[in-house]
Amino acid sequence: MTSLIDIALIKIPVTELFVTILVDLVAHVFDVLRNDLKEQPTKELYTHYKATAIILNYFKPNNKALLNSAVDVFLQMSTESITLQTFLESCSTEVWFRSCAIVLRTPNIDQKLIEKLSIILQKLSRMRTNKRYFEVYSISSMIQEILRNSGNGESAFMALNLKSVLHNLSNKESQTT
């Protein structure tokens, strides 16, 4: 006769296998989406169906593979196109900025991830309405800390983007709504 413990031990590997397969499947979907977002019609569908809210579910540091994929999708959407403003407005929320702050506070965060985020943050910092989110979630302070700690010349591009964010936030006259 099989005991409950035996059944539980059998289910653990199956559950782990299921989770692994599910994560692989979601990662594959992200790859396909990121590639499809190189085309304007897909970007239009993304904004029409408000996909930023869905991608935000994976914009968390608890799964680095899916976090990187989510940031890659955001980065692809932040390229110049007719949907850029609509995309940026979809990111201009408390939830997005809170998630971003959590990611930036993550210990030992990948520099490439910060570099990708710096591009998006640089574009978001141009919008006057986002200044409050940068302040409320202390993103400006985190950016200053990242700049202080990355003085080794690790990424001049990232430093330039982060300095641009700080400049945009301090220069109220040239910002758009």
Side-chain angles (χ1 to χ4, degrees):
M1 181 173 241
T2 307
S3 71
L4 289 177
I5 294 173
D6 292 334
I7 294 171
L9 290 175
I10 291 170
K11 286 186 178 183
I12 290 172
V14 171
T15 303
E16 289 174 8
L17 179 62
F18 176 74
V19 169
T20 302
I21 291 171
L22 188 59
V23 168
D24 287 345
L25 179 64
V26 172
H28 177 70
V29 169
F30 271 119
D31 287 341
V32 170
L33 177 60
R34 189 187 69 239
N35 288 328
D36 287 352
L37 285 171
K38 293 176 182 173
E39 304 295 328
Q40 187 57 43
T42 308
K43 287 184 175 189
E44 291 170 9
L45 287 170
Y46 178 101
T47 56
H48 176 77
Y49 289 105
K50 300 173 179 24
T52 298
I54 296 164
I55 304 301
L56 260 174
N57 292 317
Y58 303 95
F59 189 43
K60 299 174 183 172
N62 59 350
N63 187 324
K64 290 184 182 187
L66 296 180
L67 169 63
N68 280 317
S69 296
V71 171
D72 285 344
V73 167
F74 289 151
L75 185 62
Q76 189 65 43
M77 282 301 297
S78 71
T79 58
E80 290 300 321
S81 73
I82 60 173
T83 58
L84 175 61
Q85 188 62 33
T86 306
F87 167 71
L88 293 175
E89 288 169 5
S90 75
C91 293
S92 298
T93 64
E94 284 189 41
V95 175
W96 195 93
F97 277 91
R98 181 176 47 240
S99 298
C100 184
I102 291 168
V103 169
L104 290 173
R105 282 188 189 103
T106 304
N108 302 319
I109 188 168
D110 181 30
Q111 288 294 111
K112 288 289 184 194
L113 186 72
I114 296 174
E115 188 172 299
K116 292 174 187 178
L117 275 177
S118 74
I119 296 167
I120 301 163
L121 289 169
Q122 195 272 338
K123 293 179 182 199
L124 287 168
S125 69
R126 292 183 199 153
M127 300 170 71
R128 182 184 352 227
T129 55
N130 287 335
K131 183 174 181 175
R132 65 185 167 162
Y133 296 129
F134 280 93
E135 291 172 358
V136 167
Y137 295 105
S138 304
I139 294 174
S140 298
S141 301
M142 286 184 259
I143 288 172
Q144 291 171 348
E145 185 68 25
I146 291 168
L147 285 169
R148 276 193 295 274
N149 293 336
S150 65
N152 303 336
E154 294 172 10
S155 174
F157 179 72
M158 178 185 73
L160 182 65
N161 280 331
L162 293 176
K163 288 176 183 177
S164 178
V165 169
L166 296 174
H167 174 75
N168 290 343
L169 293 172
S170 66
N171 188 5
K172 294 178 187 176
E173 288 76 31
S174 66
Q175 294 177 342
T176 61
T177 54

